[in-house]
Amino acid sequence: MTLTHSGASELAQLIEGTTAGALIPEIVRRGFQDLLEAEVSAAIGATRHERCPDERSTHRNGYRQRLLTTQVGDLSLAIPKLRQGSFFPDWLEPRRRVDKALYAVVMEALHGDN
């Protein structure tokens, strides 16, 4: 996913005013958030604010907060909600540490479904 101009300026402001201890968790949180946005866009067939009524399966309907425990600390992620159906990312299982979940996804991608 490409970094928008406003996202780049926000990141530049963050880099100028913080230490590495505060910067690394924020970069990780933004990476996970971008991954969530890409996955929900693929699931419903449209990006955020995109108008395509024929190809879209449902619409977004706000967010719910989820605390994610990682090696860089606890991160607050905004999980998108849908009007019809539900969405929960494949790589994030309920009550499972993210490093174990991502390891499982990487191993599955490398070995495939044998």
Side-chain angles (χ1 to χ4, degrees):
M1 192 164 234
T2 59
L3 191 61
T4 61
H5 176 67
S6 64
S9 63
E10 289 174 13
L11 191 57
Q13 291 173 355
L14 183 66
I15 289 172
E16 290 176 8
T18 61
T19 63
L23 181 62
I24 292 171
E26 180 60 19
I27 290 173
V28 171
R29 187 196 67 76
R30 287 179 187 220
F32 282 133
Q33 195 64 51
D34 287 346
L35 186 60
L36 279 169
E37 294 294 331
E39 191 170 338
V40 77
S41 293
I44 66 173
T47 60
R48 191 170 179 201
H49 304 296
E50 182 180 5
R51 305 278 187 220
C52 57
D54 295 336
E55 302 162 14
R56 168 188 304 263
S57 61
T58 187
H59 295 277
R60 294 171 184 243
N61 191 28
Y63 292 90
R64 67 181 188 279
Q65 295 298 315
R66 169 119 175 358
L67 190 64
L68 177 66
T69 302
T70 66
Q71 292 179 346
V72 296
D74 291 340
L75 308 173
S76 179
L77 295 177
I79 310 259
K81 295 191 298 185
L82 304 177
R83 286 188 188 169
Q84 296 174 340
S86 64
F87 169 77
F88 197 78
D90 295 334
W91 52 269
L92 184 62
E93 294 181 15
R95 297 177 232 30
R96 186 172 180 191
R97 285 185 55 100
V98 70
D99 51 351
K100 292 179 184 176
L102 286 178
Y103 177 77
V105 168
V106 169
M107 292 308 292
E108 183 179 324
L110 291 176
H111 297 293
D113 294 328
N114 293 335

